[in-house]
């Protein structure tokens, strides 16, 4: 079995910021953390000097605790200079949850990609559509008990609790754009799969990339298939979008949204690709006889004790790998008389079963 090792990654910062405190990781670039109510209990956020102003990159979730920590940072660390820009990597609640509050607090502009902004608006609007019925049908086809599937909307509603409604205006950033922050150019690089148009921000002068969830050092970003696009191939998009990051210098400092900043990004890209290929091989080995998607999920995560919400996220991950294998034409899909999808391998994988116990959902 091939395993993912981080011995070749270099972690220059061993201490993490305490609540309400900052650590300077490069000239004018400050690291802070906000709490999350998950097993992954933090998110890394970034505060950048911008001449006579400040720029914030990502926001944390909507909560009184997060707001209080931000206000403490404003009072202690901004030196009477205002925040002029809220810049986002992507739309998930830990990254965008307080975007409206921060933009209103500072009368600041919101900067993000168009697709992420549009999806954030769509997620708000979909509360008033046939989303519950779509959820139930999607998860029933995958093998989830129909009674559980019919209540799936309650699990997904937790996201709206952690987010303000998205701001009504924004400034678009796109692949290849450069942002002038404190007289330095930050180039936008777009990741796919974890979210629709995830922005990373690379500063060649500082040799730093703010990698969001695209370039995490130990855990892998959640790559899931969602009910609104049941035949989507987000994992294929994610793997393809990794290729561009090999152009970064090997000693580039990666500032991820979770865990510690690190160097040796090429090694990490290799690890991420290897990890997902191993998971694909696990599926091919398991599907010598037809299995449902939920059967496959339980094989993939048999070393993990999963909560009900973790099981749903794990199922989305399993289907992302299944759909990639369907695109590669090495897995078949049929629908049974009882209305369930069954999947069967068309090839034999070379690798034995792998342990994904270190995988975390976020």
């Amino acid at each position: 079995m091939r395993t993912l090792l981080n011995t070749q990654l270099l972690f220059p910062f061993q201490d993490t910021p305490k609540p309400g405190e900052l650590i300077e990781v490069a000239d004018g670039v400050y690291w802070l953390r906000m709490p999350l109510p998950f097993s992954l209990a933090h998110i890394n956020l970034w505060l950048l000097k911008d001449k006579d102003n400040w720029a914030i990159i990502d926001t944390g979730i909507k909560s009184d605790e997060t707001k209080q920590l931000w206000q403490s940072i404003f009072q202690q660390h901004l030196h009477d200079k205002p925040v002029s820009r809220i810049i986002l990597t992507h739309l998930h609640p830990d990254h965008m949850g307080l975007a409206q509050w921060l933009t209103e607090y500072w009368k600041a502009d919101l900067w993000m990609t168009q697709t992420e902004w549009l999806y954030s608006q769509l997620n708000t609007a979909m509360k008033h559509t046939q989303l519950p019925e779509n959820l139930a049908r999607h998860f029933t086809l995958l093998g989830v008990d129909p009674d559980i599937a019919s209540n799936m909307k309650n699990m997904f509603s937790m996201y709206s609790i952690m987010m303000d409604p998205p701001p009504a205006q924004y400034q678009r950033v796109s692949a290849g754009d450069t942002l002038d922050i404190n007289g330095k150019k930050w180039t936008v690089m777009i990741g796919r799969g974890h979210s629709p148009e995830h922005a990373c921000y690379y500063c060649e002068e500082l040799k730093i990339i703010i990698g969001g969830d695209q370039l995490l050092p130990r855990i892998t970003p959640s790559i899931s298939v969602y009910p609104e696009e049941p035949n989507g191939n987000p994992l294929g998009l994610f793997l393809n979008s990794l290729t561009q990051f090999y152009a970064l210098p090997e000693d580039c400092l990666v500032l991820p949204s979770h865990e510690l900043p690190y160097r040796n990004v090429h090694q990490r890209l290799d690890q991420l690709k290897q990890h997902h290929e191993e998971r694909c091989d696990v599926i091919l080995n398991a599907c010598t006889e037809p299995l449902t998607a939920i059967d496959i999920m339980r094989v993939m995560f048999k070393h993990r004790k999963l909560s009900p919400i973790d099981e749903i996220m794990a199922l989305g991950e399993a289907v992302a790998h299944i759909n990639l294998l369907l695109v590669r034409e090495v897995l078949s899909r049929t629908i049974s008389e009882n209305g369930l999808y069954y999947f069967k391998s068309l090839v034999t994988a070379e690798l034995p079963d792998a342990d994904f116990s270190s995988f975390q959902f976020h």
Side-chain angles (χ1 to χ4, degrees):
M1 180 181 72
R2 292 180 294 181
T3 57
L4 292 174
L5 300 176
N6 285 333
T7 53
Q8 297 183 54
L9 300 186
L10 303 177
F11 298 92
F13 300 94
Q14 296 301 314
D15 296 325
T16 60
K18 295 180 174 58
E21 296 300 322
L22 308 177
I23 292 177
E24 189 171 15
V25 296
D27 181 28
V29 180
Y30 295 87
W31 173 23
L32 60 131
R33 276 189 166 180
M34 294 294 179
L36 297 177
F38 312 123
S39 56
L40 189 61
H42 71 271
I43 179 171
N44 299 325
L45 308 175
W46 314 98
L47 187 63
L48 279 60
K49 285 184 178 178
D50 192 10
K51 298 179 181 176
D52 293 328
N53 302 284
W54 292 89
I56 289 172
I57 298 188
D58 287 345
T59 73
I61 63 167
K62 174 188 175 183
S63 72
D64 290 340
E65 182 180 11
T66 308
K67 290 179 182 178
Q68 290 167 6
L69 287 170
W70 270 124
Q71 288 171 328
S72 175
I73 287 169
F74 299 156
Q75 293 166 9
Q76 297 182 41
H77 300 292
L78 297 196
H79 310 295
D80 296 323
K81 294 182 179 180
V83 174
S84 61
R85 284 188 276 188
I86 313 299
I87 302 170
L88 301 185
T89 57
H90 61 296
L91 59 77
H92 292 158
D94 48 337
H95 300 261
M96 190 180 180
L98 275 183
Q100 185 181 80
W101 180 77
L102 284 168
T103 54
E104 289 181 353
Y105 187 101
W106 287 106
K107 308 302 181 201
D109 294 329
L110 176 70
W111 294 58
M112 63 188 301
T113 62
Q114 183 181 58
T115 310
E116 299 286 325
W117 183 80
L118 289 172
Y119 260 81
S120 71
Q121 301 292 334
L122 178 63
N123 287 342
T124 301
M126 283 179 70
K127 296 176 185 177
H128 310 292
T129 68
Q130 294 179 317
L131 177 61
E133 292 80 4
N134 292 340
L135 285 171
R137 171 173 168 73
H138 175 73
F139 286 106
T140 299
L141 281 167
L142 299 178
V144 176
D145 181 274
D147 290 337
I148 297 174
S150 65
N151 289 320
M152 205 64 69
K153 63 182 183 297
N154 296 325
M155 292 188 180
F156 280 80
S157 67
M158 63 175 287
Y159 264 47
S160 63
I161 296 172
M162 295 186 291
M163 285 191 69
D164 279 326
Q169 292 184 325
Y170 77 109
Q171 172 72 40
R172 188 193 307 186
V173 300
S174 303
D177 286 354
T178 57
L179 280 63
D180 185 325
I181 303 177
N182 210 32
K184 298 178 175 62
K185 290 184 178 180
W186 293 76
T187 301
V188 179
M189 302 177 74
I190 299 299
R192 308 282 182 180
H194 175 66
S195 69
E197 194 182 4
H198 179 301
C200 302
Y201 301 92
Y202 171 57
C203 180
E204 183 178 11
E205 182 177 345
L206 294 175
K207 281 192 179 179
I208 280 182
I209 185 166
I210 295 173
D213 285 344
Q214 182 80 13
L215 300 172
L216 301 176
R218 186 180 64 87
I219 61 174
T220 63
S222 176
I223 313 292
S224 290
V225 169
Y226 294 102
E228 59 266 28
E229 192 182 5
N231 295 312
N233 184 19
L235 182 55
L237 294 173
F238 176 75
L239 294 173
N240 288 339
S241 71
L242 289 181
T243 302
Q244 64 186 308
F245 298 104
Y246 282 101
L248 297 171
E250 182 67 0
D251 60 347
C252 176
L253 179 65
V254 181
L255 304 182
S257 290
H258 306 281
E259 303 184 306
L260 298 173
Y262 68 96
R263 300 187 193 275
N264 288 4
V265 63
H266 298 172
Q267 170 71 11
R268 184 55 184 151
L269 296 170
D270 291 344
Q271 291 172 351
L272 287 167
K273 291 194 298 183
Q274 176 185 312
H275 171 77
H276 288 291
E277 292 301 336
E278 286 182 351
R279 300 180 90 191
C280 287
D281 288 337
V282 167
I283 293 173
L284 293 175
N285 280 337
C287 290
T288 53
E289 298 296 330
L291 295 178
T292 66
I294 203 163
D295 292 332
I296 292 168
M297 179 273 288
R298 288 170 178 157
V299 171
M300 291 175 69
F301 294 94
K302 67 182 181 181
H303 300 287
R304 288 278 306 276
K305 184 176 181 179
L306 301 176
S307 68
I309 189 64
D310 281 349
E311 279 207 343
I312 297 306
M313 296 186 74
L315 182 58
E317 281 275 325
V319 178
H321 289 78
I322 289 168
N323 284 5
L324 176 62
L325 293 172
L326 291 172
V327 169
R328 290 177 175 177
E329 299 184 342
V330 292
L331 196 71
S332 67
R333 182 179 74 182
T334 57
I335 189 165
S336 67
E337 291 183 359
N338 60 348
L340 301 181
Y341 283 140
Y342 279 85
F343 303 92
K344 190 174 187 301
S345 175
L346 301 177
V347 300
T348 301
E350 298 180 359
L351 294 177
D353 193 5
D355 178 2
F356 303 113
S357 58
S358 65
F359 180 81
Q360 295 189 48
F361 303 103
H362 65 286

